[in-house]
Structures are given as C-alpha cells and as structure tokens.
Amino acid sequence: LPAPAPVNGFAWHADSIVALSASDVWVQEVVSPSPNGQAGPPGVTLLHWDGTSWTVAGQDNAEYYQPGIAADGQGGLWMSATDASFTTSYLVDFQGGQFVPQAAPTEPGYTTGISRLTRVPGTTSLWATAGLSPTGDGINESAILQYGS
C-alpha cells in the first residue's frame, strides 16, 4: 500500500476496506494514536486499487473519521466523521475526489455517534448503526439510521 506522509509525527493505519469489484477496491486509513494512547490529529486517506496498482485517491485532515466505508451507489463512498469536539457527527460522501460532509441524523437532546455503515444493494440508501448520547442527563441509546433512498 502507498504510505502517506505522517501527520504531525503520527502514522496512518488501514482501518476499513470495501471491494466493489476485483478492480475497484477502497481502503480507508486513519491517523494512528501515539504509543501512549494519545489521539492523533484528525484525518483520513482513501487508497484505491484499480486491479493493477494502489493510488492515493483522496485525503482530508479536517474531521475525525470513524471506521467503516460503504459504496454510495453512484460511484463514490460514504464514511462517517465527527468534529474535533466530538459533538457533531457527519456522513461524508466522497464523490469525484471531493469530501462532502452532511450532518448526520440525530434526535433533539442527543449527539449521534455513527459506528458502521452499509448500502442497500441496487439503491443509494445508506443504513448505519449509531449511538445516541444525551447532551444533558440521561442514558445512552442505540439507533439504526437510514439516509437516502
């Protein structure tokens, strides 16, 4: 695999993979924590296998990306991310080399933490498992999210 340059001394590690065909495979790499467990800076690198070689298809150092990628049904990929304060989650569509964040669905009084993604075959409908954390008193809840059609 190509080795992206470290970010502020933090290395990358492969975190998720999705194969759309034998010549269309994507790997999501995120910034590794330090050996003492300190969180690294935000970032994601997408690597693409075209059946012959790996290339770096895109890199975004604006958000903290969560494990998991899914095809969007339109030639791109969905990922989940959160801001630096870990209070706002995003569904991020990687389309045409661009990262396009969209606010993740949530419930009033909760923040959403998306954990895993999957696309319904033959559609652009994305489903995800998530945790809902109360912004005040309360207990954590689990959720199944649907996005798109």
Side-chain angles (χ1 to χ4, degrees):
L1 292 175
V7 178
N8 298 333
F10 289 83
W12 296 88
H13 70 272
D15 195 59
S16 299
I17 187 168
V18 63
L20 306 179
S21 72
S23 61
D24 192 9
V25 180
W26 295 85
V27 169
Q28 176 192 46
E29 290 196 335
V30 295
V31 178
S32 298
S34 70
N36 67 4
Q38 174 190 2
V44 68
T45 296
L46 289 176
L47 306 176
H48 183 248
W49 173 257
D50 64 7
T52 305
S53 63
W54 288 99
T55 57
V56 175
Q59 189 172 54
D60 177 26
N61 294 328
E63 311 293 346
Y64 284 95
Y65 282 78
Q66 309 304 312
I69 53 178
D72 69 2
Q74 299 174 327
L77 300 170
W78 282 110
M79 296 165 282
S80 65
T82 186
D83 64 0
S85 67
F86 297 98
T87 58
T88 304
S89 290
Y90 302 97
L91 291 168
V92 181
D93 194 12
F94 180 75
Q95 187 71 246
Q98 301 295 313
F99 294 86
V100 182
Q102 301 174 37
T106 193
E107 293 290 325
Y110 288 89
T111 60
T112 301
I114 298 170
S115 52
R116 296 289 182 247
L117 306 170
T118 192
R119 181 181 59 89
V120 177
T123 74
T124 58
S125 181
L126 181 71
W127 289 70
T129 57
L132 299 175
S133 300
T135 55
D137 292 336
I139 59 172
N140 291 340
E141 303 280 342
S142 296
I144 305 292
L145 307 175
Q146 181 186 13
Y147 190 82
S149 55

